[in-house]
Amino acid sequence: MSRAPIVPIIGGGPAGMSCALWLHNYGLRPVIVEQETALGGMARRSPYPNEGLLGQPDQSARENAAKFANHIGKLAVETWLGSRPQRLRRENDGFRLDITFSGQPEVRSLSGPALVIATGTQFRGEDWLDQIKNARQLATAGRVHLGPAAVGERDADLGIHVAVIGGADNAFDVSRMLAEKGVHVSLVMRSKSPVGQPLLVERLRPHQASGMAELMVGRTVTAL
């Protein structure tokens, strides 16, 4: 009896783990390749409720990620943590993926008929810090945060006034959360109209009406 075909999955976040579950259920042999030291991806950094996950509206993305990882562990899905893809090439009727591990010179390979890329989303802004005068210095001092996670931590020192830069989902959702905690918010966005989900935009409107949130459209940040 031949062994089940290997299918490497690049990325160990919720998407990668979900893919591994279904490949396992179909009798294949998924191998998760994850550069971090734990499964969970960006969800590990999010303390907010995940309203997009059916049946668990009160649990945070962080809690969901931990449960997903526990499920993968119970299935004994092979997981290569601290690993990073180096080279991908065609081989026979499939692919060969070369992988290195943190702090190790050894290169290991996985071969299979298919490859899944489940690298998901990532916070943007690292490049922005170097384009805006004084932004990198303030980030180093802990005054500028990339991504939404920081303001959701229970022990976060939010101050009394926070500028949120961006006009998409996270910007509106985080602005609402800040306003609900009594923090005045200035939401600065380049576009002249929001690009976030209508539901998230509408949730901020009562705080705009009360003066806790100010929407500044068509603006470009030049310095901090």
Side-chain angles (χ1 to χ4, degrees), residues 3-40:
R3 297 189 65 184
I6 293 176
V7 180
I9 302 171
I10 302 176
M17 288 188 282
S18 296
C19 180
L21 168 64
W22 282 99
L23 290 175
H24 174 273
N25 289 345
Y26 279 117
L28 300 173
R29 182 186 164 197
V31 178
I32 298 176
V33 178
E34 169 57 46
Q35 67 178 351
E36 299 293 337
T37 57
L39 295 175

Side-chain angles (χ1 to χ4, degrees), residues 15 25 36 51 53 78 123 144 160 175 191-192 204 212:
N25 289 345
E36 299 293 337
E51 297 181 349
L53 189 61
E78 190 171 351
F123 293 148
V144 177
I160 60 173
S175 295
S191 60
K192 293 184 178 181
L204 186 64
M212 288 302 297

Side-chain angles (χ1 to χ4, degrees), residues 6 8-12 29-39 72 77-85 97-102 106-111:
I6 293 176
I9 302 171
I10 302 176
R29 182 186 164 197
V31 178
I32 298 176
V33 178
E34 169 57 46
Q35 67 178 351
E36 299 293 337
T37 57
L39 295 175
I72 290 297
V77 170
E78 190 171 351
T79 303
W80 292 11
L81 297 176
S83 61
R84 185 182 293 271
L97 179 66
D98 294 335
I99 300 164
T100 58
F101 289 79
S102 300
E106 175 189 7
V107 177
R108 297 176 63 183
S109 299
L110 289 169
S111 297

